[in-house]
Amino acid sequence: MDIQIGNYANFNYLWLVAAVVAVTVAAAVANRRAVARFATKNLTPFLFPSSGRRRIFKLGIVSAALATMVLALVDVRWGKTWREVPQKGIEVMFLLDVSRSMLAEDVTPNRLERAKQQIKDMVDEMAGDRVGLVVFAGDVRQKIPLTSHYNDFKRTLDEVGPHEVDRGGSRIGDAIGMASEAFLDKTSDHKAIVIFTDGEDHESDPVAVAEAMHQANGIRMFTVGLGDGEQGSRVPVQSSPRHRSYLTHNGEQIWSKMNGEVLKQIALKTDGAYIPAGTKQVDMTSVYRQYVAQVNEQDFETARINSYIPRYQWFVGLALLLLLTDTLLSSSKRASAVPHRYGVETPPQDAPLKPSRHSKSSTHRTSKHTHAA
């Protein structure tokens, strides 16, 4: 039978059940030893009336009830059924700069790999949102259409690099234009674009394009700047393991700096936010919750999911039945113990008293003395 466990962590409560059983057994042993020191064997049944077998049986019932409750908490499921699940969220297009400047190593291991990890951190925080990916350098390419399959999205993201585009450079404005066309719904304002780049742009007018897309389609844009904005960093090129070379222009090495001003203007014109990550580690889950998640959600089409059927109610019912059985056994034990608690029957108050043999003989002697007198 195909079984699914909803929460493996709750199996740890079985240790608590074992501890309860151990403490109960230890207390019973200590109590019996105390009774043995206090009274002789012939009085022990009156002071300790319940039998050992009965106590063991009761302990077994209570332990089974607790273990069954643990199984209910573990959320054991079996059998499958189709159910309709409404989808709600926002559409997020990630724009990732894959130009050579993103290979600069002022960020560990480099700007591109840091950007990939930041995108994954944001996706891990999502629940129900659709995500897509556009990569850009001198050319622009839609790598992943909008999807809610996050694992597939992250696997494809890992493979992205400068080889994705044919031309070098960086055209942020063209990437914004393509991402705006990639949204499934062109009218509502539940859309967001998150741009990961060092801010270098080659005459694509990204600020004007971003403002136009925001006014026409209500798209909010969030920009993440990567790289050192002061000194910058050299751009490594493919080289042999023993010799490393850097990108040059007219015989001089190129130093790439982050251009935060362009990214700040894009965010300002589109009611978004600018995150100057620079060379620091940034908590992108907080960025998602504080900024991106505030975009208005919309209802997507209902998804039909084949899911396991929860069976916790069976275990709860069995636990209650076991506890009820324990209660009934305890009640019957008290009812049977009260009339014969000390093995002595008390006569009713209205029953006539029978004279004893001693009193009878005394009465006879008294009558004899009376006649003699």
Side-chain angles (χ1 to χ4, degrees):
M1 182 172 57
D2 192 10
I3 297 177
Q4 183 188 57
I5 303 298
N7 193 339
Y8 282 95
N10 285 338
F11 273 121
N12 291 324
Y13 286 116
L14 290 175
W15 292 108
L16 182 60
V17 176
V20 170
V21 173
V23 170
T24 304
V25 171
V29 172
N31 190 26
R32 180 169 289 276
R33 288 177 178 175
V35 169
R37 289 195 299 268
F38 178 75
T40 57
K41 284 187 177 182
N42 60 329
L43 291 177
T44 298
F46 301 105
L47 298 176
F48 204 67
S50 60
S51 67
R53 290 183 179 178
R54 190 187 189 99
R55 288 196 305 276
I56 293 174
F57 184 66
K58 282 173 56 64
L59 177 59
I61 290 178
V62 174
S63 301
L66 292 175
T68 307
M69 289 299 294
V70 171
L71 291 178
L73 292 174
V74 165
D75 190 14
V76 180
R77 303 182 178 204
W78 64 83
K80 289 186 176 182
T81 184
W82 288 98
R83 61 189 180 95
E84 305 292 331
V85 179
Q87 301 289 306
K88 187 175 183 179
I90 61 177
E91 293 180 346
V92 181
M93 289 297 301
F94 290 104
L95 272 60
L96 178 59
D97 188 348
V98 294
S99 61
R100 285 187 176 274
S101 63
M102 290 292 286
L103 299 178
E105 298 173 341
D106 49 0
V107 176
T108 305
N110 58 48
R111 298 174 186 174
L112 180 59
E113 293 302 319
R114 175 68 63 85
K116 290 181 182 180
Q117 186 57 55
Q118 290 174 339
I119 293 174
K120 291 178 184 178
D121 291 343
M122 296 184 73
V123 171
D124 287 340
E125 190 66 18
M126 295 179 177
D129 298 337
R130 292 171 173 168
V131 293
L133 179 66
V134 170
V135 296
F136 67 94
D139 288 334
V140 180
R141 179 183 175 188
Q142 183 179 349
K143 184 67 176 177
I144 307 173
L146 284 167
T147 180
S148 57
H149 298 288
Y150 298 148
N151 289 333
D152 294 340
F153 176 90
K154 289 188 286 187
R155 278 195 294 268
T156 304
L157 177 64
D158 286 333
E159 301 171 357
V160 167
H163 60 276
E164 297 290 339
V165 293
D166 297 328
R167 291 195 306 169
S170 186
R171 300 186 64 85
I172 302 175
D174 294 351
I176 293 174
M178 177 174 284
S180 301
E181 293 298 321
F183 288 108
L184 301 180
D185 190 342
K186 302 297 190 293
T187 57
S188 59
D189 58 353
H190 62 278
K191 302 179 288 292
I193 291 177
V194 186
I195 307 171
F196 291 82
T197 178
D198 52 23
E200 294 184 355
D201 182 73
H202 296 155
E203 301 177 354
S204 67
D205 204 1
V207 177
V209 174
E211 185 175 10
M213 293 299 102
H214 175 66
Q215 292 177 354
N217 301 318
I219 303 173
R220 298 176 62 183
M221 301 187 193
F222 304 87
T223 55
V224 181
L226 295 155
D228 186 356
E230 298 296 331
Q231 181 179 353
S233 177
R234 295 176 295 177
V235 180
V237 295
Q238 194 72 21
S239 59
S240 64
R242 295 185 178 182
H243 177 70
R244 193 165 199 183
S245 60
Y246 296 90
L247 192 64
T248 61
H249 180 69
N250 294 330
E252 295 184 0
Q253 290 182 349
I254 297 176
W255 287 72
S256 171
K257 296 182 182 180
M258 181 186 72
N259 184 0
E261 188 59 33
V262 172
L263 302 180
K264 188 185 302 182
Q265 288 299 317
I266 293 173
L268 181 64
K269 297 292 185 180
T270 60
D271 192 25
Y274 167 55
I275 297 92
T279 60
K280 306 183 299 294
Q281 288 279 3
V282 178
D283 183 5
M284 298 307 293
T285 59
S286 297
V287 171
Y288 171 80
R289 290 194 297 264
Q290 186 174 353
Y291 299 112
V292 182
Q294 303 307 313
V295 175
N296 294 332
E297 295 182 334
Q298 80 151 7
D299 294 324
F300 300 140
E301 69 274 7
T302 301
R304 195 163 181 260
I305 298 175
N306 190 15
S307 59
Y308 288 87
I309 303 174
R311 306 290 185 177
Y312 67 90
Q313 61 271 19
W314 291 24
F315 297 101
V316 172
L318 179 57
L320 293 177
L321 180 62
L322 290 170
L323 293 176
L324 178 61
T325 302
D326 176 66
T327 302
L328 294 176
L329 286 175
S330 300
S331 300
S332 64
K333 172 190 170 184
R334 287 194 295 270
S336 61
V338 168
H340 306 287
R341 187 173 183 183
Y342 297 107
V344 178
E345 294 186 0
T346 304
Q349 292 183 357
D350 56 349
L353 295 175
K354 294 181 180 180
S356 64
R357 294 173 62 186
H358 176 73
S359 61
K360 196 172 183 181
S361 61
S362 299
T363 304
H364 180 69
R365 284 196 301 269
T366 303
S367 64
K368 288 176 69 177
H369 284 298
T370 302
H371 286 298

